[in-house]
Amino acid sequence: MAREMVSKAVTWGLFAAWVANDLEELATMAGWTRAARPVFEERFPRVPETVWQRMELSQRDVGVAIGLMGAVMAAASADGARTGGRSPFFRSVLVGFGVHGVAHLAQSLAYRGYTPGVVTAPTVVIPYSVWAVRRLKAAGVGSGGAGATAAALALLPVTVVGVHALAHRINRPRGRRARAAA
């Protein structure tokens, strides 16, 4: 009996849903980090100034970080399409994407207001993730279970911090610009 393949809507849907979520983040994140800083400083007065400085993101930093994360999401979607959804990389990223949608909701609850990505989390990210996991299951492909969830929980923050750190490094002034900024 041949293994059933999931549709490209499932595998490339991951990238499409990510694009929708990250367009919201691209439009709002840089401004939100500037506006939210005083709120956080008041709520957490013992946090060092360097943390607040690193929290603020330029629009360029946001754009580069989103582009880098886009490469990860495109690679996961492509691997999912190549393997009919069976790729452990695709399944872990899919689960991580759904978990990240729940994290958006939790962040907004903790902040007690809007945070970037929260509009598309319950309208795109979470519904797509649940649908895709169900489509995988219907095709006889598990989402990876506890292993994929554990990998997603471990790798999601590492990946997010990594792309933001790399974006900051890419955008760091060099040469005369660096000397002029110093």
Side-chain angles (χ1 to χ4, degrees):
M1 179 162 116
R3 296 189 317 185
E4 185 178 337
M5 301 288 268
V6 297
S7 75
K8 302 286 187 207
V10 173
T11 56
W12 285 107
L14 174 62
F15 186 69
W18 173 84
V19 166
N21 182 247
D22 275 53
L23 284 174
E24 177 189 355
E25 292 179 356
L26 181 64
T28 61
M29 192 177 297
W32 181 87
T33 61
R34 282 188 299 280
R37 180 177 173 172
V39 174
F40 286 124
E41 287 176 323
E42 185 177 315
R43 285 188 193 162
F44 307 104
R46 292 189 175 145
V47 172
E49 175 68 16
T50 55
V51 171
W52 303 128
Q53 289 171 350
R54 289 188 186 252
M55 183 185 125
E56 282 194 35
L57 302 169
S58 71
Q59 189 63 42
R60 184 175 172 151
D61 284 340
V62 170
V64 171
I66 285 173
L68 293 168
M69 185 62 84
V72 173
M73 300 305 285
S77 293
D79 201 36
R82 181 184 62 79
T83 62
R86 286 168 169 71
S87 157
F89 176 46
F90 168 75
R91 292 180 296 155
S92 291
V93 171
L94 170 61
V95 170
F97 186 63
V99 168
H100 128 275
V102 174
H104 275 303
L105 298 177
Q107 287 170 341
S108 283
L109 286 171
Y111 181 68
R112 295 180 231 138
Y114 176 84
T115 58
V118 75
V119 171
T120 51
T123 59
V124 176
V125 175
I126 296 169
Y128 160 76
S129 299
V130 169
W131 172 80
V133 167
R134 286 181 178 161
R135 297 303 330 135
L136 288 174
K137 187 175 181 179
V141 181
S143 62
T149 302
L153 289 172
L155 294 175
L156 179 63
V158 171
T159 306
V160 170
V161 168
V163 298
H164 279 285
L166 184 55
H168 181 73
R169 183 159 177 82
I170 289 168
N171 289 330
R172 186 174 71 195
R174 290 173 192 73
R176 282 191 285 192
R177 281 185 13 207
R179 287 189 294 275

